[in-house]
Amino acid sequence: MDITPIVKKLLRADEKVLYCVLGRVIEDNIQADRYIAIVQKQADTALFLFSSRGIPCSSEGDLSVEDVIKINEDFHLRQNNVNRQSSIDDFDPLKNTEQVVDLYIGKKNLRVLLQDALSAKSLIGWIQKAQNPNAPSWSLPCNLLTELPQGAPQGLPSSFAWTDKYRHSQSGCLFAANPHHQDNPFLHDTFNPGSTDNPFQEDVFDPLKYMNISDGQKRVVATDNVPRRQKAMSADMNTGETMSALRKTESRDSIDLIGDYYGDEDNTNGGVPDSLKLITNQLGIPGSGVELVNNLKPTTMREHVVKHYMRQREEEFTYKKHYTIFCGTWNVNGQNPPVTLKQWLDRVPDPPDIYVIGFQELDLSNQAYVFSDSRKEEQWKNAVRKSLPVKGKYRKVKLIRMVGIMMLVYVKESLVPDVPPSLVDADTVATGIMGIMGNKGGVGVRMTLHNTSLCFINTHLAAHQEEYERRNQDYRDVESKMRFKNFAPPLTISEHDQVFWIGDLNYRINGLDIDKVKTMIDKMKYRDLLSYDQLHQQLGRSDVFKGYKEGIIGFRPTYKYDTGTNEWDSSEKSRIPAWCDRILYKGAGIEQVHYISHPDLTISDHKPVSSLFNVEVKVVDREKSNKVYEDVMKKLDRLENDYLPQVKLDKTEFQFKDVMFIEKKAEILTVCNIGQVPVEFEFINKLEEQSYCQPWLKITPFKSVITPGSSCEIRLEVLVDKSCVATLDASNHVLDDILVLHLTGGKDFFITVNGNFIPSSFGCSLEALVQMHGPIRETPTAQLIEIEQPGSLMSRDLTQGGRLYAVPKEVWRLVDHIWHYGRDEEELFQQRGLKNELAAIRDCLDTGVPDKIPGSVHSVTEALLLFLECLPDPVIPSRVYYRSLECSGNYMLCKQLISEIPEHHKNLFRYLCAFLRELLNHSDKNKLDISILASIFGEIFLRPPPNTLIRSLSTPAGKAKAMEEEMKRTAFVTHFLSNEFDE
């Protein structure tokens, strides 16, 4: 597909596209598909790299300028004339060759892989023509000679100034270059911390030693001026989710590639060729029990309906096959692995078909909270690998880690063809405070074996004897928030045939003193003791782990032991023994063979647990499947010829009264199929709108198929949270939306959603908060509207008796409460609050009563972070976000920047930093660490400007760049936590 016309739309009229081709760009072992264009203006010619949301590109809106490379005297090229065997057949599954062109820009090398010899020759020809306008015409392919631009000005001075407008800011957005940047010594590509010319070399804090961006003789990159071709943008990712997921997550290892289908274990860059079997399985036609992989959606209603009917008749063309799954979990307490794990992983005579191994507290270092790399990951992965049964050859399906929570999934080598890599996916959910800290939460891996979908979850829930409800909340968060986004729509945990949930769930024994518990353990009265177990009391009786089963526990509690022994905790705290480490499961066709602990492994204060399962997996009989498929298609042909879709809605108007911040309200819309044909419905975008509903509204499901005589309940959920509260300011508290329910092949229905939002101080601007003397609920609406107007603070006449708060009174109340009641509390700013307590704190701040803020200190700390995160403009204004990153390596520059921001922002920043420094003075009791606080508050204080394109984390380059920004935010705040800030 020729996209030259599309590229032209992105350029100015006097900028000519000489040539454009799709290629694969490789730099520093990072590969990415890019459109490569040769663009000329007057005497200048440049090579443009465009990233695209989709391949092939369909419109100019899909393209983004990623890099512009000047074709000048520093630009050289070389063609590799030998066709090479391609490891990635993204261009054409039927072709298996590629042409290599090496581009040299100064000392940098950029390798380009092109589909064929003609493409390579054309690209080289245009580049040579740009370097030497008098080059003979044979340097270009003969079929392109007629396309040479006529009358291109020659001999004009080459400035390339016109390319500056295509350079990227740190956000990835285009911006006009600032000529003053050339004189800024802190924007150079390299930085030598030992240079005698550095006036700040005596700075007390050197972020470079924490940022791992110097290595031996390599250059140290000190700014954001890295090649843009290493960046992939994605506009469909939430900023908070992106940054949080990046900091805590490593999910780089996918299924190992073997033989024709896969490569060696350590090959993480290999690709999977398309095949008819794989594509039909992805499409779900016929008989696939999985959802659709992204970019492989059915294009017609017929395919949706076929998939639906094939699922209904699945038993007619599938048979059962049995496999064994080993699940193991261990909280290793930050220890190094022992010599062998065979007494845990190699205990059964016949090697299991699948291994699922979960760890918690893999790495307890402070760096694990901030940086994604951990040497413990590699140590434990190797220990597991060496301890798998020798009789069975295994391949790793997935490794995923979030801080100290890690899970490994292995399958026998013989099963690899039955586990399509495209149907393997993973996700993480952090349940630490504000969803920022990944010290608690869960990781998940899903895969499809034959025609059965399997999901494995590994969690570490809230600790401490009394935190029973917080554990329940952690479970609910993981269950509701985990999404496998490689599928359209994303898959949830409950949408899988079989689910295995392992981990340190931290549920304790309640209602018995420690001596009684130990006595019952010694007498092996486990069944009696389990009646006091917090998890056992809930299974089958509440929404916590609803539908899950647990085998009979016939082993001693797995927690807490003195490290290196089998003796109970002898420390001062003398914790009550408990079955913290558990394995649960749900789904049809699962039989538990054993459920045991392994007391021989004593390096941790927990004992590992394992369980072996026999599972029934559905395997498709292709011959029978084809017959059912033909029958379904004939039935659809008859129905489609005779009937049109018809539905009835029980209501078309919804009213949500008195919606409050962070409180959900929901109603149900029932859609009945009153026709004779299956109906596919979907909520669609209104004209010129980016989404089918407002951000405060959630529709579940937003698309589905309803068979004749059936109905579907659609949940309309209203929730004003931190992502949208700032848009519902004092001048507009109205919730108003119109939903368009579209029937494929039928008509549209219009559904109105209305409501009113109760104003909250959460989401008010800092400018309004310092002017608001009373609680927001007592402030007249007219006054709220006035103080929320941009520039209201500048026009305020303080000579008429008015006054301003130095910092918002709500922030002062929260900080004062934490100081008086929680400064010595452990896990401060690392443990989540309870939702009902957060609501009570909100009411307290918004109404002014009661005098003492309700709830635990952990709920108050989360409320403080939430309040700051809801500010429309962050503590450090977003307009100086990139300047803040640029000067993060030097304290004096950071101080200079803070001195230039508005007074009320500066006062709040200084106040909060002083408070955090005081908390650090009590670190002997609260165990706070400067790196953890700097990481948390770096993300709160420094937020990129709104409407910034967010980097994709699907590529190593995207991860690396986002991690660099994360470390710079942390470095910026660390300066002010390490030093007294005096102007």
Side-chain angles (χ1 to χ4, degrees):
M1 174 183 176
D2 182 15
I3 70 156
T4 301
I6 299 176
V7 172
K8 286 181 178 179
K9 294 179 181 179
L10 297 176
L11 306 176
R12 292 183 177 178
D14 58 345
E15 297 166 4
K16 300 178 181 179
V17 181
L18 305 183
Y19 182 63
C20 189
V21 66
L22 175 64
R24 170 149 292 191
V25 175
I26 303 177
E27 184 180 26
D28 298 331
N29 294 321
I30 298 171
Q31 303 185 23
D33 290 329
R34 295 292 180 263
Y35 284 105
I36 305 163
I38 307 296
V39 179
Q40 183 183 66
K41 180 176 180 179
Q42 297 180 346
D44 297 340
T45 307
L47 186 145
F48 279 57
L49 296 180
F50 293 90
S51 63
S52 176
R53 293 181 183 176
I55 302 291
C57 171
S58 58
S59 69
E60 66 270 21
D62 291 340
L63 285 180
S64 297
V65 179
E66 192 174 74
D67 203 357
V68 180
I69 303 170
K70 305 170 186 177
I71 300 179
N72 56 19
E73 63 276 4
D74 294 328
F75 189 104
H76 305 283
L77 61 84
R78 182 185 67 197
Q79 180 184 13
N80 183 342
N81 293 314
V82 181
N83 290 351
R84 304 191 319 157
Q85 187 73 15
S86 176
S87 61
I88 300 177
D89 301 327
D90 289 347
F91 298 117
D92 187 344
L94 302 178
K95 295 180 180 179
N96 212 22
T97 61
E98 61 192 21
Q99 288 285 319
V100 180
V101 177
D102 288 314
L103 307 178
Y104 298 90
I105 305 97
K107 296 181 179 179
K108 296 181 181 179
N109 172 236
L110 186 70
R111 173 159 288 187
V112 178
L113 277 59
L114 298 168
Q115 304 178 55
D116 48 47
L118 178 61
S119 299
K121 188 174 181 180
S122 300
L123 180 65
I124 292 171
W126 286 114
I127 292 174
Q128 290 175 339
K129 189 68 177 176
Q131 292 176 315
N132 181 11
N134 299 317
S137 59
W138 49 258
S139 64
L140 290 174
C142 59
N143 63 323
L144 297 177
L145 293 180
T146 57
E147 301 180 18
L148 275 170
Q150 300 299 317
Q154 303 295 334
L156 296 176
S158 181
S159 66
F160 289 98
W162 59 277
T163 64
D164 288 347
K165 63 179 177 290
Y166 296 112
R167 291 174 54 224
H168 286 63
S169 69
Q170 321 303 348
S171 67
C173 301
L174 303 180
F175 79 109
N178 184 346
H180 300 296
H181 286 179
Q182 305 301 321
D183 300 323
N184 186 345
F186 305 103
L187 284 180
H188 294 164
D189 282 341
T190 59
F191 172 71
N192 181 3
S195 170
T196 56
D197 296 329
N198 178 10
F200 307 112
Q201 61 183 346
E202 301 302 324
D203 251 6
V204 296
F205 174 74
D206 177 11
L208 293 178
K209 81 183 171 187
Y210 299 99
M211 292 166 64
N212 296 323
I213 55 177
S214 62
D215 181 16
Q217 302 301 315
K218 295 182 181 179
R219 294 190 307 166
V220 180
V221 180
T223 76
D224 285 336
N225 297 337
V226 298
R228 294 303 305 177
R229 53 189 164 271
Q230 295 183 8
K231 302 175 183 178
M233 300 299 165
S234 172
D236 59 353
M237 298 183 67
N238 176 277
T239 305
E241 290 178 357
T242 303
M243 294 298 100
S244 299
L246 170 75
R247 179 169 60 255
K248 275 80 72 188
T249 306
E250 280 298 302
S251 178
R252 55 191 174 277
D253 292 336
S254 192
I255 192 164
D256 300 327
L257 307 180
I258 310 169
D260 293 336
Y261 213 106
Y262 309 102
D264 296 331
E265 172 168 355
D266 294 329
N267 178 14
T268 57
N269 294 322
V272 182
D274 291 335
S275 70
L276 180 61
K277 176 183 175 182
L278 179 58
I279 292 177
T280 55
N281 194 34
Q282 291 168 337
L283 288 176
I285 303 173
S288 174
V290 299
E291 290 299 319
L292 304 173
V293 177
N294 272 329
N295 301 322
L296 288 174
K297 302 178 185 178
T299 57
T300 66
M301 173 191 175
R302 171 182 284 264
E303 290 171 336
H304 279 289
V305 176
V306 167
K307 178 182 169 188
H308 180 79
Y309 272 120
M310 292 298 292
R311 283 183 175 176
Q312 285 189 331
R313 300 178 60 178
E314 197 172 47
E315 292 185 1
E316 298 179 35
F317 57 83
T318 60
Y319 61 92
K320 302 293 177 60
K321 194 171 181 179
H322 289 85
Y323 293 93
T324 53
I325 299 178
F326 175 99
C327 293
T329 177
W330 192 8
N331 182 320
V332 297
N333 195 31
Q335 303 299 314
N336 293 325
V339 176
T340 180
L341 300 173
K342 284 188 174 292
Q343 58 267 55
W344 176 33
L345 303 179
D346 192 8
R347 290 282 297 265
V348 293
D350 296 321
D353 296 300
I354 301 172
Y355 269 96
V356 182
I357 303 148
F359 296 100
Q360 306 83 41
E361 296 191 356
L362 189 82
D363 191 338
L364 295 178
S365 67
N366 292 328
Q367 286 74 20
Y369 289 84
V370 183
F371 306 122
S372 63
D373 293 331
S374 171
R375 62 183 181 85
K376 293 289 182 72
E377 175 186 313
E378 194 68 22
Q379 291 175 359
W380 280 97
K381 184 180 85 169
N382 292 337
V384 167
R385 184 72 191 178
K386 293 175 183 177
S387 301
L388 295 180
V390 178
K391 287 191 276 183
K393 290 186 177 180
Y394 292 88
R395 292 291 175 178
K396 183 175 75 272
V397 175
K398 197 75 172 176
L399 178 154
I400 185 166
R401 180 176 63 84
M402 179 178 70
V403 185
I405 308 170
M406 185 174 82
M407 183 162 61
L408 291 144
V409 178
Y410 288 89
V411 298
K412 276 186 176 177
E413 189 170 294
S414 59
L415 289 185
V416 168
D418 303 317
V419 182
S422 59
L423 301 181
V424 174
D425 200 8
D427 193 24
T428 65
V429 175
T431 61
I433 189 162
M434 296 289 291
I436 294 174
M437 299 302 293
N439 55 319
K440 295 293 189 293
V443 299
V445 172
R446 67 90 54 213
M447 67 185 209
T448 299
L449 177 59
H450 287 295
N451 213 47
T452 296
S453 55
L454 306 175
C455 183
F456 308 110
I457 308 295
N458 175 28
T459 55
H460 191 188
L461 306 186
H464 306 306
Q465 184 83 18
E466 68 281 359
E467 299 294 353
Y468 162 78
E469 184 51 43
R470 191 167 274 110
R471 284 186 275 280
N472 292 346
Q473 182 173 307
D474 285 353
Y475 158 76
R476 295 184 186 106
D477 285 345
V478 174
E479 173 74 26
S480 63
K481 294 179 181 179
M482 187 160 288
R483 293 288 186 274
F484 299 103
K485 303 178 184 68
N486 192 38
F487 299 84
L491 285 176
T492 63
I493 295 173
S494 60
E495 290 178 299
H496 291 80
D497 297 322
Q498 298 174 355
V499 183
F500 300 85
W501 195 304
I502 67 177
D504 180 1
L505 307 187
N506 253 322
Y507 287 100
R508 307 302 173 91
I509 292 172
N510 235 11
L512 293 175
D513 63 54
I514 188 170
D515 293 330
K516 179 66 174 176
V517 171
K518 290 181 178 179
T519 299
M520 295 177 73
I521 295 171
D522 291 340
K523 295 180 179 181
M524 300 180 67
K525 293 185 177 181
Y526 302 139
R527 181 171 296 184
D528 294 338
L529 191 55
L530 275 169
S531 63
Y532 296 92
D533 173 73
Q534 292 172 339
L535 179 58
H536 187 79
Q537 292 169 350
Q538 295 180 95
L539 283 178
R541 303 177 185 90
S542 73
D543 68 315
V544 177
F545 288 101
K546 186 176 182 179
Y548 287 86
K549 300 177 183 177
E550 185 179 24
I552 297 174
I553 293 181
F555 50 86
R556 287 159 57 92
T558 56
Y559 173 85
K560 177 181 179 156
Y561 294 86
D562 288 337
T563 302
T565 74
N566 282 318
E567 303 297 324
W568 298 118
D569 180 22
S570 61
S571 69
E572 183 181 346
K573 294 183 179 180
S574 190
R575 293 177 177 86
I576 298 175
W579 285 286
C580 289
D581 310 278
R582 312 289 273 268
I583 299 174
L584 294 86
Y585 59 96
K586 75 172 178 178
I590 303 176
E591 176 191 2
Q592 191 172 46
V593 179
H594 71 234
Y595 187 21
I596 58 176
S597 69
H598 302 268
D600 294 343
L601 291 166
T602 61
I603 64 169
S604 171
D605 55 352
H606 289 249
K607 300 299 180 185
V609 172
S610 68
S611 183
L612 186 68
F613 297 94
N614 279 329
V615 298
E616 287 184 346
V617 169
K618 294 171 289 187
V619 183
V620 174
D621 184 315
R622 291 297 168 187
E623 184 176 347
K624 292 181 180 179
S625 171
N626 290 336
K627 290 180 179 178
V628 173
Y629 177 70
E630 291 174 6
D631 186 46
V632 168
M633 297 301 289
K634 290 177 182 177
K635 180 178 179 180
L636 285 179
D637 287 339
R638 292 193 302 270
L639 291 174
E640 288 177 355
N641 290 333
D642 298 333
Y643 301 100
L644 290 175
Q646 298 181 55
V647 299
K648 179 180 179 181
L649 279 59
D650 65 336
K651 57 192 301 187
T652 57
E653 294 183 3
F654 291 87
Q655 187 73 29
F656 293 88
K657 293 184 178 180
D658 297 338
V659 176
M660 304 186 73
F661 176 63
I662 63 171
E663 279 193 12
K664 292 180 182 178
K665 288 197 172 188
E667 291 201 28
I668 300 296
L669 166 64
T670 303
V671 181
C672 300
N673 185 348
I674 58 175
Q676 301 298 316
V677 65
V679 172
E680 180 193 23
F681 72 81
E682 179 180 7
F683 288 91
I684 61 174
N685 297 359
K686 296 179 284 294
L687 195 63
E688 297 182 354
E689 294 198 9
Q690 300 298 314
S691 176
Y692 59 84
C693 67
Q694 295 292 332
W696 42 263
L697 182 60
K698 180 181 178 183
I699 313 295
T700 310
F702 76 95
K703 63 188 297 185
S704 187
V705 175
I706 313 175
T707 54
S710 300
S711 62
C712 177
E713 288 190 344
I714 302 172
R715 179 181 173 89
L716 279 66
E717 185 179 279
V718 170
L719 174 63
V720 177
D721 59 12
K722 63 184 180 182
S723 66
C724 59
V725 65
T727 62
L728 298 171
D729 58 22
S731 60
N732 179 21
H733 293 145
V734 177
L735 303 174
D736 187 20
D737 199 6
I738 297 177
L739 305 175
V740 182
L741 179 64
H742 173 70
L743 305 184
T744 304
K747 63 179 182 178
D748 294 342
F749 293 84
F750 297 92
I751 301 159
T752 60
V753 180
N754 295 299
N756 66 293
F757 175 65
I758 304 297
S760 174
S761 55
F762 288 80
C764 285
S765 68
L766 188 54
E767 196 170 25
L769 288 167
V770 296
Q771 300 180 68
M772 195 185 306
H773 297 155
I776 191 170
R777 300 269 183 90
E778 298 178 4
T779 305
T781 302
Q783 184 180 344
L784 285 176
I785 294 174
E786 179 186 351
I787 63 178
E788 278 287 1
Q789 295 302 311
S792 65
L793 197 58
M794 300 296 295
S795 60
R796 188 176 182 88
D797 188 359
L798 299 180
T799 63
Q800 302 301 316
R803 62 188 179 89
L804 301 177
Y805 287 109
V807 298
K809 59 186 180 303
E810 293 82 3
V811 174
W812 177 84
R813 291 190 67 187
L814 293 168
V815 167
D816 186 65
H817 183 95
I818 298 169
W819 176 251
H820 282 98
Y821 302 102
R823 61 181 175 231
D824 295 333
E825 185 80 17
E826 290 188 17
E827 295 190 333
L828 207 58
F829 291 106
Q830 298 170 61
Q831 191 175 128
R832 292 198 67 178
L834 296 176
K835 290 180 180 177
N836 61 331
E837 292 182 351
L838 285 172
I841 295 170
R842 173 208 62 208
D843 290 342
C844 175
L845 297 178
D846 289 348
T847 63
V849 292
D851 292 334
K852 181 181 177 182
I853 296 178
S856 70
V857 70
H858 296 295
S859 295
V860 178
T861 55
E862 179 163 4
L864 174 61
L865 294 178
L866 183 59
F867 192 94
L868 297 174
E869 195 168 16
C870 288
L871 291 172
D873 199 19
V875 177
I876 298 175
S878 56
R879 62 180 173 79
V880 297
Y881 174 75
Y882 294 113
R883 279 187 59 203
S884 302
L885 298 186
E886 290 166 2
C887 69
S888 62
N890 189 279
Y891 181 39
M892 292 182 68
L893 289 178
C894 293
K895 286 174 61 178
Q896 176 65 30
L897 184 143
I898 294 298
S899 68
E900 296 173 3
I901 64 177
E903 193 71 21
H904 47 290
H905 285 267
K906 179 168 57 178
N907 290 341
L908 181 57
F909 178 75
R910 295 183 61 186
Y911 175 69
L912 291 170
C913 288
F915 166 60
L916 296 177
R917 287 197 301 269
E918 288 299 322
L919 289 180
L920 288 169
N921 289 336
H922 292 253
S923 59
D924 55 329
K925 295 181 179 178
N926 58 38
K927 310 302 181 187
L928 278 175
D929 179 85
I930 193 170
S931 62
I932 294 176
L933 283 180
S935 175
I936 295 172
F937 281 88
E939 191 163 331
I940 297 293
F941 288 161
L942 290 160
R943 302 202 305 265
N947 302 321
T948 297
L949 288 176
I950 305 305
R951 294 183 182 86
S952 169
L953 300 185
S954 60
T955 64
K959 288 183 181 180
K961 187 58 186 175
M963 177 59 68
E964 184 181 350
E965 283 194 15
E966 169 72 16
M967 291 186 290
K968 287 184 177 183
R969 289 196 299 266
T970 300
F972 186 96
V973 176
T974 302
H975 286 306
F976 297 94
L977 301 188
S978 305
N979 303 278
E980 294 284 346
F981 178 43
D982 54 341
E983 293 185 277

